Amino acid sequence: MVHYLIGLIGSGIGPSLSPALHEREAAELGLGYSYRLLDLDVIGRPVGDVLAAARSEGFDGLNITHPAKQAVLPHLDEIVPEAAALGAVNTVVFDRGRAIGHNTDATGFARSLSRGLPDAAMANVVLLGAGGAGAAVAHALLSLGTGHLGVHDVDESRSATLVAALESRFGAGRATVCAPEAVRTADGLVHATPTGMAAHPGLPLDESLLRGELWVADIVYRPLETGLLAAARARGCRVLHGGGMVVLQAAESLRLFTGVEPDAGRMLAHFAELEGEPAHAS
């Protein structure tokens, strides 16, 4: 039996469901598969050092999560064009000693949104967060047909950098830097910052900006019901939690690691078993 050794690099990743999702599906596919958590907070070393150690210890691949999706870029030997366009990597495949960066977040989010909110209005959407995950979500939203995307990040230079990349790829005027108040006139809101995670509780914006006509998607999945989604639900918004994205990006990562096509539907069902709630609850 072929055996794969995979890891996840990030901070505060103890609650991650990635080991369970990957190892269960790999077993269903008849693959030997071990998935290790490489928590930067526990190891106390930067992402480049951890990646180098994983390479030397014979790992076959790595998933990369907050806060390392952009910080990992200088430590890779190659970045596939789609990930380079996003400026962020969440999957690293070791191929004959070379570290090759991919990004499965964009397709994972796009497929989750299409499944969970298939008829969502897309003329005007606001994105909170312009980091690695936010960049992937931004490209996914414009690829899905969002007419205009407003981007807000507490680091305004990061917002401006992402908007410039989006306009270069999708055309002038498709994206602009905005303030959170732009949510007042938007069709949808997507949240792509760590706020709301178990280790970062709170709301990413003033809840008074939310209104019933707005749909709200959060990429956070631990917990599934973030403070933002609870506030949005209370105001009558249709909501989408981060479960679908995490499962569907995991499925694509598993395919990249092994060359074997996983059963995404089976992985979504496994997520529902683990969480007691469907991956596309809205």
Side-chain angles (χ1 to χ4, degrees), residues 8-58:
L8 172 65
I9 297 178
S11 293
I13 55 176
S16 175
L17 289 183
S18 291
L21 289 169
H22 278 252
E23 291 179 353
R24 165 82 166 267
E25 182 59 19
E28 294 280 0
L29 296 170
L31 303 173
Y33 203 97
S34 297
Y35 196 105
R36 308 275 177 79
L37 297 181
L38 306 173
D39 196 315
L40 297 172
D41 295 340
V42 175
I43 297 170
R45 302 293 299 172
V47 61
D49 290 355
V50 178
L51 184 143
R55 188 200 309 244
S56 67
E57 291 173 16

Side-chain angles (χ1 to χ4, degrees), residues 100-127:
I100 303 172
H102 301 258
N103 193 302
T104 67
D105 280 336
T107 54
F109 177 79
R111 292 173 65 191
S112 178
L113 186 65
S114 296
R115 286 173 175 242
L117 295 173
D119 57 349
M122 303 287 282
N124 182 16
V125 179
V126 170
L127 170 67

Side-chain angles (χ1 to χ4, degrees), residues 70-77 79:
Q70 293 168 322
V72 74
L73 299 179
H75 306 287
L76 303 176
D77 300 302
I79 304 172

